[in-house]
Amino acid sequence: FPPHCFLCRVPLGGSDLPYLCAQHALQLISVGEQHCRRCSLTLAGDCSVDCPDCRRHEWAFDQAHALFQYKEGLIRLVQAFKYEKKRFLIRTFSSFLKINLGTALKPALTPIDVIVPVPMTPQKEKERGFNQAALLAAAAAQILNRPVFKRGLSKQQKKEGGASQATLSEEERWGHIKG
């Protein structure tokens, strides 16, 4: 059977992204020029200053780069990749990375020494069958010719009956961060 778009099921043609038709590829909303210089949050106004969240928090990173706004089709792709065990979508995300890291973002990323994926608990990784962050880190590392440091962060086991991060409010998620 011919390959088809993961989002709309139409036969593929005219898109450089695996599992994504040209129409859906074009619907992904780029972060663009108007974004926070620290966290990449899309802003409506002056982007020469940090967004309100970055002014309020002391982050443990210098700068984050987002390729797209987390909306519509991208939300569906990410959720399918993470929660529905659609591991094959790594090809789509790798293509996103190759297009963006290989061109527009590469000058901003040259000081990177190592790529560190966000860890999962062993139980969660066993349930999913893979760590999506580790797969994305490996793809980025190959494009940028940088090593992956898999043990750069550690994940504490969730307490018995503890809620998944995805179900918590922003304030509750901040309460779980240590270090």
Side-chain angles (χ1 to χ4, degrees):
F1 56 94
H4 59 275
C5 176
F6 180 77
L7 297 173
C8 68
R9 313 298 290 167
V10 302
L12 287 178
S15 174
D16 293 333
L17 296 171
Y19 307 108
L20 205 57
C21 68
Q23 179 181 350
H24 279 107
L26 290 172
Q27 287 177 353
L28 295 176
I29 303 167
S30 172
V31 169
E33 296 297 318
Q34 296 292 98
H35 64 274
C36 174
R37 62 186 178 166
R38 183 89 189 263
C39 73
S40 260
L41 178 72
T42 300
L43 299 173
D46 183 8
C47 59
S48 65
V49 296
D50 293 340
C51 71
D53 280 345
C54 287
R55 287 194 301 265
R56 245 189 353 259
H57 296 291
E58 183 62 36
W59 302 120
F61 60 88
D62 295 326
Q63 197 172 31
H65 296 277
L67 304 180
F68 301 104
Q69 293 179 35
Y70 190 61
K71 294 183 178 185
E72 298 134 16
L74 185 61
I75 291 173
R76 176 71 185 109
L77 290 172
V78 169
Q79 288 176 343
F81 183 49
K82 286 179 68 172
Y83 304 118
E84 298 172 23
K85 299 181 180 185
K86 305 294 186 192
R87 187 176 180 163
F88 63 88
L89 289 173
I90 187 61
R91 291 186 52 214
T92 304
F93 289 108
S94 293
S95 292
F96 289 157
L97 291 171
K98 188 171 189 175
I99 291 165
N100 289 280
L101 295 181
T103 57
L105 291 179
K106 195 162 189 172
L109 299 176
T110 52
I112 290 177
D113 296 316
V114 65
I115 297 172
V116 182
V118 176
M120 301 172 75
T121 63
Q123 177 187 347
K124 184 65 77 174
E125 188 168 349
K126 186 176 179 182
E127 287 171 17
R128 286 195 189 156
F130 63 96
N131 178 342
Q132 72 282 347
L135 294 176
L136 291 168
Q142 184 176 12
I143 294 162
L144 296 170
N145 194 27
R146 297 289 187 267
V148 175
F149 185 42
K150 292 180 184 176
R151 303 211 190 285
L153 299 171
S154 64
K155 175 77 174 185
Q156 301 298 314
Q157 279 288 28
K158 193 166 48 170
K159 293 179 184 174
E160 186 68 32
S164 168
Q165 289 286 93
T167 65
L168 300 176
S169 70
E170 181 182 0
E171 186 175 322
E172 290 169 322
R173 288 193 305 271
W174 274 108
H176 286 188
I177 296 173
K178 296 190 179 9

